[in-house]
Amino acid sequence: MNEKGADSYRVLLEGGEGEYVEKKSRFIATVRKCESEEEATAFIEEMKKKYWDARHNCSAFVLGSRGEVTRCSDDGEPGGTAGRPMLEVLTGEGIRNIAVVVTRYFGGVLLGTGGLVRAYTQAVKEGLKNCTLGRMRYGHEIRVTTDYNGIGKILYLLENTGIEPSSSEYTDRVTLRLIVPAEDAEKLKKDMVEATGGRVELEKLRELYFVDKDPGTD
């Protein structure tokens, strides 16, 4: 992930399950984080074994920081009624490195093409409701050094911007380490200099990707 074009994308922190019922057919969605096609394929096979008595175990997954690898399967449902709608939910939400299997237990009533598309779509949405999502962002790790007069102003500034120090050290001076979204770094540095009257030393330690709280899960 050294390309800066994929500055921000959603990731699955914790998988989950959800269920949707339509005309007595049960649609059980299982969502899991997967980092490779091998992981995704193994997960799909695991679900097929777990729900071996179900009529269908349809699947979809999105891999890569840019979502460059996508696959889906209707697993015996009419073409385009299951895997593709499931995949469209994942890509529409902008989530990467994620796989979902929707297991269908047939309820005896045919749903028709439109009904199947709606049911598989809704099942994935129900599964995602029970997952924990984060946002992978590109940022800078910054070391901040100041005196005891300046630290209160800096902490107040950080609190207002929603940034928590990843570490702090109090000796004759105060040293903080911050992880800041790249697009906010310069403004934050300027604000800290102004807030302390210049009594602050700032050093960029490295560039990195980090997981931030996803506002979509608030």
Side-chain angles (χ1 to χ4, degrees), residues 106-200:
F106 185 55
V109 179
L110 295 174
L111 301 183
T113 301
L116 287 172
V117 170
R118 285 191 298 273
Y120 279 101
T121 297
Q122 191 59 41
V124 176
K125 291 180 179 180
E126 291 298 322
L128 289 176
K129 287 179 183 178
N130 297 315
C131 294
T132 303
L133 297 172
R135 184 168 291 277
M136 191 69 76
R137 303 185 70 179
Y138 174 72
H140 300 166
E141 183 178 26
I142 300 170
R143 179 161 55 208
V144 179
T145 306
T146 188
D147 55 29
Y148 281 84
N149 290 324
I151 188 60
K153 296 173 182 178
I154 287 178
L155 291 176
Y156 178 77
L157 180 64
L158 293 177
E159 182 178 352
N160 287 340
T161 55
I163 296 174
E164 295 184 8
S166 56
S167 71
S168 57
E169 182 180 350
Y170 289 77
T171 55
D172 57 324
R173 305 191 77 195
V174 183
T175 302
L176 306 177
R177 285 189 181 225
L178 311 175
I179 295 178
V180 183
E183 64 271 21
D184 299 333
E186 289 307 314
K187 182 179 186 307
L188 182 61
K189 290 178 183 178
K190 181 180 177 182
D191 289 346
M192 285 191 287
V193 169
E194 291 181 355
T196 61
R199 298 191 312 274
V200 62

